[in-house]
Amino acid sequence: NLKGYTTFLTQHYDNPKSSVGKQYCDVMMKRRGLDKPACKEVNTFIHGTKNNIIAVCTASGGKDYGKGLRISLRPFTVTTCKHKGGSTRPPCKYSDNKSSRYIVIACNQDGKPVHFDESL
Ligand code: DGP
Ligand code: DGP
C-alpha cells in the first residue's frame, strides 16, 4: 500500500526547504493541496532526507513511542504551519515556526512513514 507513503511525502516532506519567499506556509499548504476542501489546521514539513525519515521506522533511526508510533533518535529541522483562524476556506493564512525537533510518526508494514503525529 504505497498510497499512505506518497500521501505522507506530499503532506510532510520538503527537503531542502523550498525557497518560496516570506510566506512559506501559505505557499506550501496551497502547493501541496492542504487548503482543500478546507484549510488544514496544523501541518508539519520535515526538512530531512527521505532516507533519514524512513530510518525512523527502523532501529537505526527511531524507537517505539507507544500506540504504534515511532520517535526519531535525532532531531530534524521542521516547519510547523498553523492556521491563523478566520475563514477555514481558501485562501488559507498560516503562521510559520521553524525549529529542530524529534518527530513522532506512524509507519506502515512496509516500514514507510504514513502519518505525522507530533514533534518534541
Ligand atoms: P505544537 O503546538 O507545535 O506542539 O503542535 C500542535 C499540535 O499539532 C500537536 O498536537 C502536534 C500536532 N501536529 C503538528 N503537526 C502536525 C501534522 O502535520 N499532522 C497532524 N495530524 N498533527 C500535527
Ligand atoms: P497526517 O500525517 O496526520 O496528516 O495523515 C496522513 C495520512 O495518514 C492520512 O491519509 C491519514 C493517515 N493516518 C493518520 N493517522 C494514521 C495512523 O495512525 N496510522 C496509519 N497507518 N495511517 C494514519
Side-chain angles (χ1 to χ4, degrees):
N1 181 1
L2 268 173
K3 187 164 180 297
Y5 176 53
T6 56
T7 298
F8 179 92
L9 293 177
T10 299
Q11 295 191 136
H12 303 296
Y13 169 69
D14 185 39
N15 189 62
K17 185 181 179 184
S18 298
S19 298
V20 297
K22 197 172 180 318
Q23 305 285 4
Y24 172 84
C25 285
D26 290 359
V27 172
M28 290 299 294
M29 294 296 284
K30 177 178 169 61
R31 182 180 287 188
R32 300 297 178 90
L34 306 180
D35 61 336
K36 293 178 291 196
C39 308
K40 188 175 179 182
E41 279 302 313
V42 188
N43 189 75
T44 299
F45 293 100
I46 307 165
H47 314 304
T49 66
K50 278 186 213 177
N51 278 349
N52 285 344
I53 298 168
I54 291 170
V56 178
C57 299
T58 74
S60 70
K63 61 183 180 186
D64 284 337
Y65 194 63
K67 300 185 178 177
L69 300 172
R70 310 268 309 168
I71 186 165
S72 62
L73 297 180
R74 295 173 177 281
F76 285 83
T77 302
V78 302
T79 299
T80 298
C81 302
K82 285 190 185 171
H83 186 231
K84 279 182 181 173
S87 175
T88 61
R89 301 291 157 189
C92 308
K93 293 303 203 176
Y94 289 91
S95 61
D96 302 44
N97 182 64
K98 190 178 179 192
S99 56
S100 178
R101 290 174 173 244
Y102 297 89
I103 62 170
V104 177
I105 63 175
C107 303
N108 64 17
Q109 291 189 334
D110 299 332
K112 296 291 203 309
V114 291
H115 163 66
F116 185 95
D117 200 71
E118 62 172 328
S119 60
L120 309 172

